[in-house]
Amino acid sequence: MSTATTTRFGAELRAICGAANVVDDPALLRGRQVLGVVPSTVVTPASADEAAAVLRVANENGLSVVPAGGFTAQNMGRKPAQVDVLLSTSRLRELEHYDAADLTIGVGAGWTVADLAAKVAADNLFFPGDPALPERATVGGLLATGFCGPHRQGYGGLRDYCIGIRFVTGDGHKAKGGGRVVKNVAGYDMMKLLIGSYGTLGVITSASFKLFPAPRQTRTFIAEFPGAAEAFQFRNQVLRSPLDPICLELVSPGARQLLHGFGSDGPWLVLLRAAGSDPVLARYRAELGSAVARELEGINEREAWRALSNFSHTVEERCPQSLLLSLQLPLREVGPILQQLATVSASLKHAVIGRFGAGHLLVALWQPSGSTVQAKAFADAIAGLRHRLPIDASIAVLSCPPEVRADIAWIATPTHVESMRVVKKVLDPNDTLNHGRFLF
Amino acid sequence: MNPAVVEQLRKIAGRDAVLDRPEDLMLYEYDAGIRKSTPGAVVFPQTTNQVSQIMRLASSAQVPVVARGAGTGLSGGAISREGGIVVAFSRMNRILEIDVENQRAVVQPGVVNLQLSEHVSHLGLYFAPDPSSQKACTIGGNVAENSGGPHTLMYGVTVNHVTGVEVVMPSGEVVHFGGKAAESYGYDMTGFFVGSEGTIGITTAITVKLLRKPEKVATLLAIFETVDDAGQTVSAITAAGITPAALEMLDGWTLRTIEAYCHAGYPLDAGAVLLIELDGLRESVEEHAEAVQAVCLQQKAREVRRAKTEEERALLWKGRKTAFGALGRVSPSYYTQDGVVPRSKIPATLAHIGEVSKKYDLIIGNIFHAGDGNLHPLILFDIRFPDQLERALAASKDILEYCIAVGGSITGEHGVGMEKRDLMPVLFTQEDLDVMAGLRNAFNSENLLNPDKLLPTPRMCREIFGAARNPVLVQEGM
Ligand SMILES: Cc1cc2nc3c(=O)[nH]c(=O)nc-3n(C[C@H](O)[C@H](O)[C@H](O)COP(=O)(O)OP(=O)(O)OC[C@H]3O[C@@H](n4cnc5c(N)ncnc54)[C@H](O)[C@@H]3O)c2cc1C
Ligand SMILES: Cc1cc2nc3c(=O)[nH]c(=O)nc-3n(C[C@H](O)[C@H](O)[C@H](O)COP(=O)(O)OP(=O)(O)OC[C@H]3O[C@@H](n4cnc5c(N)ncnc54)[C@H](O)[C@@H]3O)c2cc1C
């Protein structure tokens, strides 16, 4: 659809959202590119009803729509052929419900993660979502990317604490799943379908979450290991112990070079974060024994975890020509994969972090400075990794150099793809949302 | 049932693996809820391939099919359409793999919930979802209903413990969702399948998490003069920053009934008790146990007892877990509800249930998962008097509508099944339901697999609104 055609619908979109919330002046749109494609229109609905009306117009007229939150993770996927409507969630800022005594909250998709965390922190509660750039990343984007940060170890993933979701389907129907209570099996679990769907099944307009009591104090124990094998062994020792850390993070020597505050040189690190009273922390100290080189608390501790949460962003900033992979692995496979990284990416440099006690790794691969991007080296690395993974592991490519983009499979999954296609067909029958960017 | 179809079933599963005599079929007319309907045949497959062939047969013969685990479901989920095929999983009950390093087990759907935990106990592991029916119910049934239990407060319900499923689709195709990794990229079909009440496909192998047993457990019994005080305490405990492993409530009437039946040591003159369990690291359990005790006393608990030995602990739980058997002795029938409310609304909701009890002139006992606000009002009635059944149904509807009105749900763990589908439109808009029906129809296009469950149907149901669940059956089920 050409810009001119889209503009034809400009009047309709303005009638829905108000003139101020529909921007189609090309000069103003350049900053909102999706993988280099300038959208024809940016529409910012103020409610689920408005979002539904926008999608009905798009769906009926064959316009392609890309939902967008904080724009922190739009580097993923294939380059879209065109973006007729960029649907921004920034005005979906309603507080649907919040009662501290119930430990639940429901907010519009446009809330930033930092605002949500601050809101509940005032009542000594805790929201575990810990994406890169929380001041910009939105609740909708967090859910759509099914992101996984360091708190994954102790609090589970979004699928474990998102208790309700409202969304608009690709053809403009308002729908929901779950509700406001922590336990609920009425109807199909729509949360599960929308989480990690990368904006291909619906535009998430709001969501409800289970909250947790804020830990009264935490401490981070840092252990150093000469190689990945020893770090992996330490992980297994922790997983077999009665300890129950809230984070258990692996940091490779390459990652230490990229991250701020991790000493640019040195061996593998494991950071274990524990919450509890003095006696509980003393117990951790006793169990972990001599493996622990030092402890972090207070501001230093917070900074270290912030840096780890920001890893994906730091990689994009410091190595713009890098390939960033996210791996979900059975626990046993983590060790062997770490050891094989060096072989599959011989001509590339690599950095790894991850909540490896939960089977999640983020792997960055880049070429040594000075050399030009060789698509083949990256493609070979991905192929090599996939070849070594068991069939029930899965991979997502979070970002990659433009030269490599065309021939990458963005997601590898053990799940039956045809069944996923059936879901896509029901929720977005005309391929209106994020057309062609990810699986379909 | 068409004898040719029965013959085909025998060819697929074996001569001794099909029932079609009326006296045999009677045993499969009901689950633990209050409806019944007679199937045309019951088949006991032993392999995934047989299940696949059964699905193909059902499709070509246009006969409805329903999967069945142990039949302990409370919402009519496993009840067949009149004359349909029941696929019963009692012969697919093998534990296929215990993978200690990956903390996973792969099981067939007919494995009984508690058997898995017993099987891995010597490794220091267990399967966390623990429905009170865990001695009887199957993991296939748990997956279909997304079952909970007392300890799911801390550890999460079934969906939080299932990472992969093998599914036979209504077409007969065998597909896989997920695997041994905690999460998988792509749409979370595993999470969607869990809790779909057997309407999307039939699972033939399930990959579940195994957790490490906690090093320390503390079990407390807090005794209150009034239901209201106990209800207030539930929020107060959470407000103190503590998430117990389990937090169950029993009202006075219920605990007296149980005590007469199994002598768990519950106080006979209390208004209500909370059964509270804390587990984890020794140091934190001790602290939390003391903190919980202090909160209870502050909230006017008359007394807080702590189990000193494993025997004392087992006795306290025995009372909780044999409750349904105890009720079976005092009432010919009862109707178990499963509404959920935000936990701060528990006191008001219990007060409302008290009024409903008066209004409809029926005894209603309360024994429930208080920590998640998941109520189980047990409405006592006598099935021999049709007006009592009618009042029980009206009372139940009244309670569930109240739950919805305060921001809750009609079911926390038992599922919608047949019995609550007419309340779905109160909870969801037509548009919400259309989207769900779109998904159901896309996978189950002929609506032959567990038809007319979970979603409201415009069509009149043909099922006989039959006799109440037999209390003796439940007693055995415990
Ligand atoms: C696949 C993927 C995995 C990631 N994993 C991690 C991780 O493990 N750890 C980590 O620290 N960071 C991760 N990130 C990066 C990022 O920090 C988070 O995903 C962030 O929460 C994105 O939020 P945003 O508001 O900036 O979304 P945006 O960048 O604006 O959008 C990201 C994607 O979500 C879609 N989307 C946004 N809002 C909505 C909505 N309301 N409804 C439907 N779709 C919507 C967009 O169409 C787009 O596909 C990941 C990013 C991606 C793409
Ligand atoms: C005394 C008592 C206490 C209970 N306590 C609890 C409790 O604490 N928490 C709780 O959540 N529930 C509880 N229940 C309800 C019930 O036990 C659970 O719903 C249980 O999970 C049902 O398992 P089942 O094997 O008996 O399944 P069934 O009743 O046989 O079937 C239930 C549903 O599962 C489907 N199904 C069975 N196998 C498969 C399969 N292989 N593939 C697809 N679908 C399948 C059936 O079609 C049906 O829809 C209780 C019931 C009783 C009688």
Side-chain angles (χ1 to χ4, degrees):
Chain A
M1 193 115 332
S2 72
T3 307
T5 332
T6 316
T7 322
R8 262 194 18 232
F9 303 104
E12 265 182 80
L13 297 175
R14 285 190 176 83
I16 296 165
C17 300
N21 302 304
V22 178
V23 176
D24 49 12
D25 174 356
L28 299 174
L29 295 171
R30 230 161 282 132
R32 304 255 87 185
Q33 293 178 20
V34 177
L35 297 165
V37 178
V38 181
S40 310
T41 321
V42 176
V43 181
T44 314
S47 65
D49 283 319
E50 288 186 13
V54 169
L55 274 158
R56 279 196 297 274
V57 170
N59 182 60
E60 280 156 22
N61 296 289
L63 308 181
S64 64
V65 177
V66 172
F71 240 78
T72 65
Q74 291 284 4
N75 277 338
M76 192 196 169
R78 285 182 214 101
K79 183 171 168 165
Q82 63 196 46
V83 180
D84 295 320
V85 176
L86 189 87
L87 193 156
S88 164
T89 57
S90 61
R91 291 172 75 217
L92 301 176
R93 295 273 314 171
E94 201 186 335
L95 177 62
E96 286 192 344
H97 65 98
Y98 177 48
D99 189 340
D102 293 328
L103 274 75
T104 58
I105 192 165
V107 298
W111 273 62
T112 65
V113 175
D115 283 349
L116 172 54
K119 171 94 193 159
V120 306
D123 294 309
N124 267 323
L125 296 177
F126 178 65
F127 175 72
D130 47 357
L133 305 180
E135 289 79 15
R136 278 174 51 201
T138 60
V139 167
L142 188 75
L143 290 165
T145 56
F147 104 100
C148 176
H151 287 127
R152 177 70 187 73
Q153 177 68 36
Y155 295 93
L158 285 160
R159 82 193 286 278
D160 300 308
Y161 54 83
C162 172
I163 56 175
I165 203 157
R166 286 174 192 270
F167 61 100
V168 177
T169 60
D171 51 351
H173 293 292
K174 278 200 311 171
K176 70 165 175 289
R180 301 176 172 191
V181 280
V182 296
K183 200 171 172 193
N184 189 358
V185 296
Y188 292 130
D189 194 336
M190 305 306 293
M191 290 77 82
K192 302 296 184 292
L193 289 182
L194 271 292
I195 293 171
S197 64
Y198 314 115
T200 61
L201 294 180
V203 175
I204 298 161
T205 52
S206 63
S208 294
F209 300 96
K210 191 151 98 168
L211 300 168
F212 298 83
R216 254 162 291 183
Q217 68 171 350
T218 63
R219 194 65 48 89
T220 295
F221 301 93
I222 302 184
E224 297 198 342
F225 302 96
E230 290 84 357
F232 182 63
Q233 238 173 0
F234 176 72
R235 182 205 75 164
N236 291 344
Q237 179 199 327
V238 172
L239 292 183
R240 277 195 295 264
S241 78
L243 303 179
D244 191 13
I246 56 177
C247 307
L248 182 60
E249 196 81 2
L250 175 77
V251 182
S252 78
R256 293 181 71 172
Q257 286 170 15
L258 289 182
L259 291 167
H260 303 282
F262 280 78
S264 59
D265 212 14
W268 292 75
L269 296 182
V270 175
L271 284 83
L272 181 153
R273 189 174 199 181
S277 60
D278 291 341
V280 169
L281 297 179
R283 176 74 189 283
Y284 272 86
R285 217 165 273 127
E287 292 280 335
L288 298 174
S290 60
V292 173
R294 59 183 193 281
E295 296 183 15
L296 293 179
E297 62 181 307
I299 179 84
N300 292 337
E301 185 185 24
R302 283 197 298 280
E303 287 298 319
W305 287 105
R306 204 179 155 77
L308 289 168
S309 290
N310 267 334
F311 178 76
S312 55
H313 179 67
T314 308
V315 169
E316 286 184 353
E317 231 178 26
R318 299 197 53 188
C319 310
Q321 297 298 332
S322 63
L323 173 74
L324 185 61
L325 299 172
S326 177
L327 308 183
Q328 301 279 4
L329 304 165
L331 292 177
R332 182 178 44 212
E333 309 301 333
V334 172
I337 285 298
L338 289 172
Q339 280 166 316
Q340 281 163 0
L341 266 179
T343 10
V344 297
S345 58
S347 68
L348 301 172
K349 302 186 81 163
H350 66 260
V352 185
I353 74 160
R355 31 264 41 145
F356 72 152
H360 181 241
L361 296 179
L362 286 169
V363 178
L365 298 167
W366 68 97
Q367 283 180 321
S369 56
S371 55
T372 53
V373 173
Q374 280 169 342
K376 190 168 178 316
F378 288 105
D380 286 352
I382 296 183
L385 262 180
R386 286 188 64 172
H387 179 67
R388 284 168 173 80
L389 288 175
I391 49 162
D392 57 355
S394 68
I395 309 189
V397 179
L398 301 191
S399 62
C400 76
E403 292 84 344
V404 187
R405 210 166 278 283
D407 39 50
I408 268 191
W410 289 92
I411 288 170
T413 170
T415 294
H416 185 238
V417 173
E418 219 23 70
S419 295
M420 291 196 255
R421 208 184 297 277
V422 169
V423 172
K424 169 77 175 171
K425 196 82 202 143
V426 172
L427 296 183
D428 183 22
N430 299 318
D431 249 343
T432 303
L433 294 165
N434 268 324
H435 178 70
R437 258 180 96 188
F438 304 108
L439 268 171
F440 313 116
Chain B
M1 160 158 289
N2 180 346
V5 175
V6 176
E7 192 46 39
Q8 287 291 325
L9 287 173
R10 292 211 161 93
K11 275 214 181 100
I12 294 168
R15 299 249 124 229
D16 66 338
V18 179
L19 301 176
D20 71 334
R21 294 189 316 188
E23 60 271 36
D24 291 330
L25 296 176
M26 266 169 58
L27 289 172
Y28 295 87
E29 281 177 347
Y30 43 76
D31 63 358
I34 62 167
R35 304 204 181 190
K36 70 180 203 177
S37 161
T38 317
V42 181
V43 56
F44 301 89
Q46 302 104 61
T47 66
T48 300
N49 183 30
Q50 289 174 356
V51 176
S52 164
Q53 290 181 55
I54 293 166
M55 290 289 241
R56 285 181 213 274
L57 170 64
S59 171
S60 66
Q62 289 291 300
V63 185
V65 188
V66 61
R68 184 180 178 95
T72 68
L74 288 164
S75 56
I79 295 179
S80 155
R81 183 77 81 69
E82 197 74 26
I85 299 172
V86 169
V87 183
F89 279 100
S90 50
R91 296 192 198 170
M92 280 181 77
N93 61 352
R94 275 185 309 130
I95 295 172
L96 300 173
E97 186 189 352
I98 300 296
D99 182 345
V100 176
E101 260 186 286
N102 281 323
Q103 300 173 2
R104 296 290 182 269
V106 184
V107 301
Q108 289 187 320
V111 169
V112 168
N113 174 297
L114 188 60
Q115 275 172 6
L116 176 58
S117 287
E118 285 172 354
H119 186 82
V120 295
S121 177
H122 71 286
L123 299 165
L125 300 171
Y126 75 111
F127 177 55
D130 61 338
S132 305
S133 52
Q134 71 181 144
K135 279 186 186 161
C137 67
T138 65
I139 295 179
N142 298 164
V143 166
E145 303 290 11
N146 191 11
S147 299
H151 290 81
T152 51
L153 172 59
M154 169 99 130
Y155 294 102
V157 292
T158 302
V159 73
N160 308 112
H161 297 273
V162 175
T163 59
V165 280
E166 175 184 85
V167 180
V168 179
M169 301 306 279
S171 62
E173 191 185 359
V174 181
V175 304
H176 292 88
F177 302 153
K180 285 181 180 169
E183 297 187 6
S184 298
Y185 283 109
Y187 303 150
D188 182 1
M189 297 300 299
T190 312
F192 173 67
F193 183 81
V194 176
S196 62
E197 302 192 11
T199 64
I200 297 292
I202 291 186
T203 177
T204 44
I206 304 152
T207 306
V208 299
K209 297 182 188 170
L210 296 174
L211 300 192
R212 193 185 60 231
K213 282 194 249 178
E215 108 180 313
K216 176 85 185 173
V217 179
T219 309
L220 308 178
L221 186 75
I223 303 163
F224 296 86
E225 300 294 351
T226 70
V227 168
D228 196 55
D229 290 343
Q232 303 283 359
T233 306
V234 175
S235 301
I237 290 173
T238 343
I242 299 164
T243 309
L247 175 49
E248 303 279 305
M249 180 163 160
L250 290 75
D251 70 10
W253 182 87
T254 308
L255 64 91
R256 279 184 286 282
T257 307
I258 293 175
E259 193 55 25
Y261 174 73
C262 88
H263 311 296
Y266 295 161
L268 290 173
D269 58 343
V273 299
L274 292 178
L275 180 57
I276 309 162
E277 194 149 279
L278 302 143
D279 69 20
L281 206 59
R282 203 183 312 123
E283 288 79 358
S284 68
V285 168
E286 283 312 322
E287 269 163 38
H288 287 163
E290 276 170 36
V292 165
Q293 188 155 5
V295 171
C296 290
L297 293 173
Q298 215 173 6
Q299 298 290 327
K300 301 191 270 187
R302 182 214 293 171
E303 184 191 345
V304 182
R305 297 181 193 159
R306 177 166 171 181
K308 284 183 227 54
T309 61
E310 184 49 39
E311 288 70 42
E312 282 183 25
R313 169 180 182 244
L315 200 58
L316 287 177
W317 277 110
K318 185 178 163 209
R320 167 64 182 93
K321 296 209 169 183
T322 50
F324 292 81
L327 290 178
R329 290 216 321 181
V330 300
S331 174
S333 339
Y334 56 84
Y335 193 25
T336 311
Q337 275 314 320
D338 184 36
V340 191
V341 296
R343 35 202 147 199
S344 62
K345 301 288 192 313
I346 290 175
T349 310
L350 290 174
H352 181 78
I353 293 173
E355 283 160 27
V356 169
S357 160
K358 279 192 214 115
K359 180 171 162 195
Y360 295 93
D361 191 23
L362 295 167
I363 294 178
I364 304 181
N366 287 289
I367 171 164
F368 63 102
H369 311 306
D372 348 82
N374 186 187
L375 307 161
H376 286 334
L378 305 168
I379 306 170
L380 274 53
F381 68 101
D382 190 334
I383 193 74
R384 288 165 301 184
F385 302 97
D387 73 301
Q388 287 204 19
L389 170 63
E390 238 160 75
R391 273 187 284 138
L393 291 170
S396 146
K397 185 156 178 274
D398 188 323
I399 293 169
L400 293 182
E401 280 171 350
Y402 183 89
C403 293
I404 296 174
V406 299
S409 170
I410 54 176
T411 173
E413 55 180 24
H414 297 165
V416 174
M418 303 163 71
E419 65 133 16
K420 284 180 288 268
R421 68 190 162 180
D422 295 336
L423 277 167
M424 287 289 277
V426 188
L427 200 55
F428 292 101
T429 66
Q430 191 55 46
E431 226 175 353
D432 296 336
L433 294 171
D434 286 346
V435 167
M436 291 186 193
L439 289 164
R440 198 259 324 265
N441 297 342
F443 286 107
N444 185 6
S445 53
E446 298 173 292
N447 198 14
L448 284 176
L449 180 61
N450 212 2
D452 306 332
K453 305 287 172 69
L454 192 137
L455 292 166
T457 53
R459 216 173 331 143
M460 274 301 293
C461 44
R462 267 182 284 156
E463 292 82 10
I464 304 161
F465 206 77
R469 168 220 41 72
N470 174 352
V472 177
L473 174 86
V474 170
Q475 218 167 307
E476 285 167 359
M478 296 307 302

